[in-house]
Amino acid sequence: MSKAETAAPAEAREPGGRVKSGSPRHPLVVGAVSEDEEAQGAFKSMDLNRVIKLLEETDKDDLEEKQLKSVKKLVQCYQNGLPLRDLAQIFKVLNLCAEKIENQPSFVESACNILKLCGLPFLKKKVSDEITYAEDTANSLALLGDLMKIPNSELRIQVCKCIVDFYHAEPPKKHITGYQQANSSYKIQMAEVGGLAKTMVQSLVLLENQLIEKLWVLKALQHLSTSEVNCTLMMKAQAASGICTHINDPDPSGQLLFRSSEILWNLLEKASKGEVIQQLSNLDCLQALKEVFKNLFIKGFSNYDRQLRNDILVITTIIAQNPEAPMIESGFTKDLILFATFNEVKSQNPLVKGIKLSNSHEDFELKKLLFNIIVILCKDLSTIQLLIDGKVIWALFTYVKKPEKNKIIEWSAAQYEELQLHSIATLSSVAPLLIEEYMLCQGNARVLAFLEWCESEDSFFSHGNSFHGAGGRGNKFAQMRYSLRLLRAMVYLEDETINNDLCEKGTIHQLIGIFKNTINKDNDREEAILLEIQSDILLILSGLCEHSVPRKEIFGIEGVDIILHVMKTDSKKLQSGLGYNVLLFSTLDSIWCCILGCYSSEDYFLEKEGIFLLLDLLTLNQKKFCNLILGIMVEFCDNPKTTAHVKAWRGKKNQTAASLLIKLWRKEEKELGVKRDKYGKIIDTKKPLFTSFQEEHAIIPLPANCPTMAVMDVAENIRAKIYAVLGKLDFENLPGLSAEDFVTLCIIHRYLDFKIGEIWNEIREEIKLEKLRPVTTDIRNLDIITTASENIGKMVASLQSEMIESQARQDMQNEQKVYSKIQATHKQRELANKSWENFVARTSNVKTLKKAKRLQEKAIESSRYNDRPPNAIFHRTDIKGLNTTVPSGPVITVESTPARLVGGPLADTDIAVKKLPIRGGALQRVKVGKTVDEPKRSAPT
């Protein structure tokens, strides 16, 4: 057969190597080339269909030799890489060779040689080949997992090597003309699509007693587990439990433990963590992990062993978070507690005899991990007895002390500080469960002494280079913060033994002193930590003083001062995110617990304008504070001195407390979806307080001890508290209220009546739903109550209508007054304009001026008294010769014209100055002094 006859054009092929229907049918080949073409990197001639057909034959002599020869020729042909379009048929050849291995072992070498080719890069002729042949490639790579079922060690190892080569791609030995290398991650992606990881996990069951093959499979799985898709497939195949159960199998090389732990790590990180933990939470897995950890802890001395030990402990810590994990049943919990405390508490247990931790990084990490797992283990109350037996509290308290100088310790200064902080944080979780142990260790005394050292000026250079030491570099803030957290956890138990012991040791005064010192420290860099310290101090004080008046008296004036200091904080800082919100919550809580109920503290709080500060906080309109502030005000109003303070307060724009509270009521009802019209008037007189939530949820019968919707509504919003505060003010003589406020006040005044009616309506509805028939008297009483409640609603609505109408009339009157003012202003402006026009006319027209002069003289003459008494002297009030129609002012001399030229300013009048004989001629200019009260005016014209 010639080259032209055997070679089919590449353009005529379909995916998978099938020739398109429009082309002549020829067997699939790779173009035959000469030796020169081979040197340039081209494929030799190969009819794959013929090879497959030859391998499928079984009834010929010397068939095996021909089959092996054809496979060898195939391997030589594709020694530079496998084209994607030929991959499906090549793997079919591989599969046929693998099937013959059991009866014909000589095919092992052929199958392995083909597998070696799979480690070479895949080749594509077109850019689209990766997409075109994706399904064929995925199915072909999936066959690799199936080959693991063939009981041949060499083949299995070669399959694993082939998979490992996917992740260590090498460039092709020669460049093939017309082909280019597929994407380096293409094989990995197709292996994920084909589910290769799942079949490889399933093959582990076949290799339980074959260590070498098992190690190779684990190596392959280690590479495959770097992908999230493969990890998910492995998890579904129960890889976690299967691998963990055999993690402690004998293995002189140590690879089994290393690769297994690495696979478990990847599964926990990349697969569903919860499902992986569930697989590992069985007795077999935990016992295997326990034995591994124990061996590494006791016998591991190299750096590698210590790292592996810590990895196993981290995996165990993750498993321990599952409450269903049998940690106690496996004995692992007891061993972990022993290992965590053996260095601080001397033990005769042979497991830890002669063991000593160094200050290496790995041993230091181990110590922290053991502290951490104790916190997780103590969440299971069954662990408490083991913690007591292991003297965990005693061990942790060995670190709660100031560093001792000139003492040789096994840790460096930075390591010791970090362990100290970690132990205190661990105590915060463990000590509340072991109260007796805590008191036997004199825990309160130890912590208070440690706090005293934290507050002292003792020279101490903190490293602050750990998670727990954040923000504590060069100071003792970190130690103080975690000590206060421990005290807060103990106080919140409300155990009187602990609280009494703390108060007897002067804790209240000590904490107030620490708070004052933190106020004086100006440290913006550590502001968030200082705020947390202050919040914890206030919470501890609240827990100590809540139910004891004598302790509130000890809190006293000093305590009230620090509360007032916090309340005066700039409101802008509440939005800074540093912790001012938390501090303010703690402050409000301490007002409730440390001041209310102690009359001397209440009076001092009022004297220092504490109520004003509370109302100022209420004006911030932050919902998270309103409920608590209003609750405090309700309690404070029991003090008769409070009412005057509430009425005296004024906010921005002279806002009163009553106006503020009514505004909050309207806002709350708007958020609750209560039905009101645009004036705030009641719409539904039967359900005047109903919220949208109550409307949406139908009434259902409930047991007598369960609160109904109407009762729960009282506690879930601030309306009841606003009613209570305004009730203390008697709803009368409330200054600064608008008409809208009075309309709302009508509803608030009747809040209790409306709520009672609402509850009776619920009772009636529940009776109907339960199909009960009350006696006649009860029915009549229910009708009377319902009618009375509705009448109250109608009465309030009618009163609101009157108020609205009255306000409308008042607004109309006010509007008319404004219009009258506007009209008078316009009239006055018109008169002024007319007067000006007359003045201009007189100055511009002589006739008009003369007419005005005559009218003026006539008016003057008519105003005089005609009947003169005898011997009366008549004095003229006007000056003759003046051509003006306005009243004349004081006579002055105008200096603009020389007097000698005009004869003086009054030359044409009846009182003209006579000429003096001296010098002769006109009157000379004479300086005349001006009085202060006589303004300078020009001479009338």
Side-chain angles (χ1 to χ4, degrees):
M1 186 179 296
S2 67
K3 173 181 174 182
E5 293 174 341
T6 57
E11 293 80 2
R13 298 180 184 276
E14 287 185 349
R18 185 172 66 85
V19 181
K20 293 183 180 179
S21 57
S23 305
R25 294 184 177 272
H26 299 291
L28 179 64
V29 298
V30 177
V33 294
S34 64
E35 292 182 1
D36 294 336
E37 291 174 321
E38 180 185 353
Q40 296 175 3
F43 286 120
K44 291 183 179 181
S45 172
M46 195 72 225
D47 187 348
L48 294 177
N49 286 336
R50 184 178 177 184
V51 175
I52 293 171
K53 187 175 181 181
L54 182 62
L55 289 172
E56 288 175 346
E57 293 179 359
T58 58
D59 56 351
K60 291 184 180 180
D61 299 333
D62 66 2
L63 183 61
E64 181 177 345
E65 185 178 350
K66 290 181 180 180
Q67 292 173 338
L68 291 173
K69 188 175 180 180
S70 64
V71 174
K72 186 177 181 181
K73 187 177 179 182
L74 180 147
V75 171
Q76 188 166 359
C77 176
Y78 293 102
Q79 60 183 339
N80 292 320
L82 300 178
L84 290 175
R85 64 178 184 177
D86 298 340
L87 200 62
Q89 291 179 306
I90 292 172
F91 267 84
K92 189 171 183 180
V93 172
L94 173 61
N95 196 36
L96 290 171
C97 291
E99 290 175 356
K100 295 177 179 294
I101 289 176
E102 188 173 358
N103 298 321
Q104 297 171 282
S106 56
F107 277 92
V108 172
E109 183 180 357
S110 300
C112 291
N113 289 334
I114 296 176
L115 286 170
K116 290 177 183 178
L117 296 178
C118 296
L120 298 173
F122 290 165
L123 304 175
K124 58 183 178 181
K125 193 163 188 177
K126 298 179 181 178
V127 176
S128 61
D129 281 358
E130 290 185 3
I131 300 174
T132 305
Y133 300 105
E135 184 177 355
D136 291 342
T137 306
N139 294 334
S140 300
L141 295 180
L143 292 174
L144 294 177
D146 296 333
L147 295 179
M148 297 298 295
K149 299 176 183 178
I150 298 174
N152 184 276
S153 176
E154 186 179 353
L155 179 67
R156 288 171 172 171
I157 292 173
Q158 190 58 51
V159 170
C160 296
K161 287 181 178 179
C162 176
I163 295 172
V164 172
D165 287 340
F166 291 175
Y167 296 84
H168 304 283
E170 296 181 1
K173 297 177 181 179
K174 293 182 180 180
H175 176 69
I176 309 301
T177 304
Y179 288 86
Q180 56 182 328
Q181 184 177 346
N183 194 331
S184 58
S185 62
Y186 184 69
K187 286 183 183 179
I188 300 173
Q189 294 174 0
M190 293 300 102
E192 292 173 358
V193 175
L196 177 59
K198 184 176 181 180
T199 54
M200 291 301 293
V201 171
Q202 293 169 346
S203 68
L204 282 173
V205 180
L206 307 172
L207 307 173
E208 290 186 1
N209 300 320
Q210 300 174 31
L211 181 60
I212 297 175
E213 292 92 323
K214 188 174 183 179
L215 291 176
W216 273 105
V217 172
L218 290 175
K219 185 175 182 180
L221 288 173
Q222 183 182 351
H223 285 79
L224 289 170
S225 63
T226 57
S227 158
E228 291 185 7
V229 176
N230 286 335
C231 284
T232 303
L233 294 170
M234 292 167 65
M235 179 197 65
K236 292 179 179 179
Q238 303 294 313
S241 58
I243 292 172
C244 187
T245 303
H246 298 282
I247 197 171
N248 199 37
D249 288 353
D251 174 28
S253 67
Q255 292 187 41
L256 176 64
L257 177 57
F258 165 69
R259 300 196 187 283
S260 298
S261 63
E262 188 72 19
I263 293 170
L264 291 176
W265 261 112
N266 291 337
L267 287 173
L268 287 168
E269 287 183 352
K270 295 181 171 62
S272 173
K273 188 175 180 180
E275 294 186 26
V276 175
I277 291 174
Q278 197 64 38
Q279 286 185 24
L280 296 173
S281 299
N282 58 70
L283 201 58
D284 293 336
C285 290
L286 287 172
Q287 284 180 338
L289 289 171
K290 181 187 78 169
E291 293 302 322
V292 168
F293 180 75
K294 190 190 302 182
N295 291 334
L296 291 171
F297 189 90
I298 298 171
K299 301 176 183 179
F301 297 101
S302 67
N303 191 51
Y304 167 76
D305 289 340
R306 290 170 178 168
Q307 290 177 351
L308 196 54
R309 172 198 64 190
N310 292 353
D311 289 346
I312 296 298
L313 183 54
V314 173
I315 294 172
T316 304
T317 303
I318 296 172
I319 298 171
Q321 294 175 2
N322 181 15
E324 298 178 0
M327 293 291 296
I328 298 176
E329 293 82 349
S330 64
F332 209 171
T333 298
K334 186 176 181 180
D335 288 347
L336 289 171
I337 293 173
L338 173 66
F339 295 144
T341 60
F342 83 95
N343 217 27
E344 294 77 21
V345 179
K346 301 305 178 184
S347 174
Q348 301 300 321
N349 194 304
L351 285 176
V352 294
K353 190 175 182 180
I355 296 178
K356 188 176 182 180
L357 297 178
S358 66
N359 61 356
S360 65
H361 177 73
E362 287 72 25
D363 284 350
F364 175 61
E365 290 295 324
L366 171 69
K367 194 68 179 178
K368 292 194 295 181
L369 288 171
L370 288 169
F371 282 170
N372 185 57
I373 200 170
I374 285 176
V375 175
I376 295 171
L377 292 173
C378 72
K379 294 178 181 179
D380 184 0
L381 297 181
S382 305
T383 313
I384 291 177
Q385 189 58 47
L386 295 176
L387 295 173
I388 295 172
D389 296 340
K391 298 183 178 180
V392 172
I393 297 293
W394 289 91
L396 293 172
F397 263 118
T398 58
Y399 293 93
V400 188
K401 59 184 179 182
K402 66 178 182 179
E404 299 180 12
K405 297 180 180 179
N406 303 324
K407 182 179 179 182
I408 299 175
I409 56 175
E410 58 273 19
W411 308 109
S412 67
Q415 288 175 335
Y416 181 81
E417 179 193 344
E418 190 169 348
L419 288 177
Q420 183 184 65
L421 295 172
H422 206 149
S423 64
I424 301 173
T426 305
L427 277 169
S428 300
S429 299
V430 179
L433 303 174
L434 306 173
I435 297 176
E436 292 183 7
E437 294 291 313
Y438 177 83
M439 295 303 294
L440 287 173
C441 290
Q442 296 183 343
N444 288 335
R446 288 173 182 252
V447 177
L448 292 175
F450 190 67
L451 275 175
E452 187 176 354
W453 171 77
C454 293
E455 193 185 6
S456 68
E457 298 297 331
D458 183 19
S459 59
F460 172 75
F461 183 75
S462 172
H463 294 77
N465 55 354
S466 65
F467 169 78
H468 296 290
R473 188 169 185 81
N475 54 55
K476 305 170 190 172
F477 291 160
Q479 285 82 356
M480 184 182 293
R481 175 170 60 163
Y482 281 95
S483 300
L484 290 171
R485 283 187 186 180
L486 173 56
L487 276 183
R488 187 186 69 187
M490 300 310 297
V491 168
Y492 269 37
L493 295 174
E494 297 186 357
D495 186 280
E496 278 306 308
T497 304
I498 295 174
N499 291 353
N500 285 333
D501 185 57
L502 284 170
C503 293
E504 289 171 1
K505 289 180 169 56
T507 305
I508 295 176
H509 283 307
Q510 183 177 352
L511 293 179
I512 292 174
I514 293 173
F515 194 102
K516 289 181 177 179
N517 290 336
T518 57
I519 293 174
N520 298 330
K521 292 180 180 178
D522 186 12
N523 194 332
D524 294 336
R525 187 168 57 88
E526 313 300 346
E527 187 176 4
I529 294 177
L530 288 173
L531 291 174
E532 183 182 344
I533 289 172
Q534 292 173 355
S535 299
D536 284 341
I537 288 174
L538 292 177
L539 290 173
I540 293 168
L541 292 172
S542 298
L544 292 174
C545 300
E546 185 174 6
H547 304 296
S548 175
V549 175
R551 294 176 190 170
K552 293 180 181 180
E553 292 173 351
I554 296 173
F555 182 81
I557 293 175
E558 287 185 334
V560 175
D561 283 336
I562 63 175
I563 288 175
L564 292 171
H565 173 81
V566 176
M567 294 177 68
K568 292 175 183 177
T569 304
D570 186 359
S571 60
K572 295 179 181 177
K573 293 183 177 180
L574 295 175
Q575 309 299 330
S576 64
L578 294 173
Y580 282 97
N581 279 336
V582 178
L583 178 59
L584 184 55
F585 270 119
S586 304
T587 304
L588 295 175
D589 186 59
S590 61
I591 294 174
W592 197 297
C593 299
C594 302
I595 296 178
L596 288 171
C598 178
Y599 298 129
S600 59
S601 297
E602 285 185 9
D603 290 345
Y604 184 74
F605 184 82
L606 293 172
E607 180 184 340
K608 294 296 182 179
E609 300 182 348
I611 288 296
F612 289 0
L613 295 174
L614 281 175
L615 289 167
D616 288 340
L617 290 174
L618 204 57
T619 57
L620 298 179
N621 206 9
Q622 295 196 16
K623 192 173 180 64
K624 51 191 173 185
F625 297 130
C626 287
N627 207 340
L628 189 54
I629 294 172
L630 288 171
I632 292 170
M633 289 191 63
V634 170
E635 296 294 329
F636 252 112
C637 284
D638 290 336
N639 189 324
K641 300 178 183 179
T642 304
T643 305
H645 287 260
V646 175
K647 289 183 176 180
W649 176 84
R650 291 295 181 272
K652 292 181 179 179
K653 298 181 180 179
N654 207 30
Q655 185 182 30
T656 63
S659 175
L660 173 62
L661 293 172
I662 293 171
K663 182 180 177 182
L664 288 175
W665 175 286
R666 284 198 294 268
K667 181 184 176 185
E668 185 75 3
E669 285 200 331
K670 185 176 180 180
E671 292 177 356
L672 294 173
V674 181
K675 294 179 180 179
R676 298 281 185 263
D677 65 6
K678 63 179 180 179
Y679 302 108
K681 181 181 168 184
I682 293 174
I683 294 178
D684 188 352
T685 56
K686 294 182 179 179
K687 301 174 181 178
L689 298 178
F690 249 46
T691 64
S692 58
F693 181 79
Q694 289 174 283
E695 291 281 358
E696 292 170 2
H697 293 77
I699 298 173
I700 57 174
L702 294 171
N705 59 347
C706 292
T708 62
M709 297 286 291
V711 176
M712 289 173 63
D713 175 74
V714 175
E716 290 178 351
N717 57 69
I718 62 175
R719 291 190 294 179
K721 295 183 177 66
I722 293 174
Y723 165 77
V725 175
L726 291 175
K728 297 291 184 179
L729 302 178
D730 296 329
F731 294 103
E732 296 179 359
N733 300 324
L734 300 178
L737 299 186
S738 63
E740 186 182 12
D741 292 337
F742 279 112
V743 169
T744 307
L745 188 62
C746 293
I747 302 173
I748 301 174
H749 193 194
R750 289 292 185 173
Y751 172 78
L752 189 58
D753 296 329
F754 291 150
K755 185 57 66 174
I756 291 172
E758 193 177 304
I759 293 172
W760 278 110
N761 282 330
E762 282 187 338
I763 293 172
R764 166 172 267 181
E765 292 297 325
E766 287 188 19
I767 290 173
K768 289 181 180 178
L769 291 172
E770 292 177 353
K771 298 180 180 179
L772 300 175
R773 187 184 181 280
V775 297
T776 305
T777 306
D778 288 342
I779 293 175
R780 186 169 61 253
N781 290 337
L782 280 174
D783 291 338
I784 292 171
I785 293 170
T786 304
T787 304
S789 177
E790 187 175 350
N791 288 338
I792 293 173
K794 291 178 179 178
M795 180 190 68
V796 171
S798 175
L799 181 59
Q800 288 177 318
S801 299
E802 291 178 6
M803 288 183 175
I804 294 169
E805 291 173 2
S806 175
Q807 182 62 31
R809 288 194 297 271
Q810 183 66 37
D811 291 342
M812 183 65 71
Q813 291 176 2
N814 294 337
E815 188 177 350
Q816 289 297 332
K817 288 181 180 179
V818 172
Y819 283 146
S820 299
K821 288 182 179 179
I822 294 172
Q823 189 175 7
T825 302
H826 281 287
K827 187 174 182 180
Q828 186 67 25
R829 192 174 297 163
E830 289 174 1
L831 291 173
N833 291 337
K834 189 174 181 180
S835 175
W836 173 251
E837 290 173 359
N838 291 333
F839 176 76
V840 172
R842 292 197 305 273
T843 57
S844 60
N845 191 325
V846 176
K847 293 181 179 180
T848 304
L849 178 62
K850 290 180 178 180
K851 183 179 179 181
K853 182 64 176 177
R854 287 193 298 270
L855 291 173
Q856 183 186 39
E857 291 175 350
K858 186 177 180 180
I860 293 171
E861 192 64 30
S862 64
S863 65
R864 288 173 178 166
Y865 185 68
N866 295 325
D867 299 330
R868 299 174 185 170
N871 302 323
I873 300 174
F874 176 73
H875 298 279
R876 294 186 64 84
T877 60
D878 57 341
I879 301 174
K880 290 185 178 181
L882 292 180
N883 298 322
T884 63
T885 58
V886 294
S888 58
V891 178
I892 61 172
T893 301
V894 178
E895 299 179 357
S896 61
T897 305
R900 63 179 178 274
L901 299 178
V902 297
L906 303 177
D908 296 334
T909 63
D910 293 343
I911 59 173
V913 181
K914 302 297 182 181
K915 294 182 180 178
L916 294 178
I918 302 174
R919 297 184 183 178
L923 185 64
Q924 300 296 316
R925 184 175 59 182
V926 180
K927 293 183 179 179
V928 180
K930 293 188 296 182
T931 59
V932 176
D933 57 343
E934 292 178 349
K936 183 178 180 181
R937 296 186 182 181
S938 59
T941 58

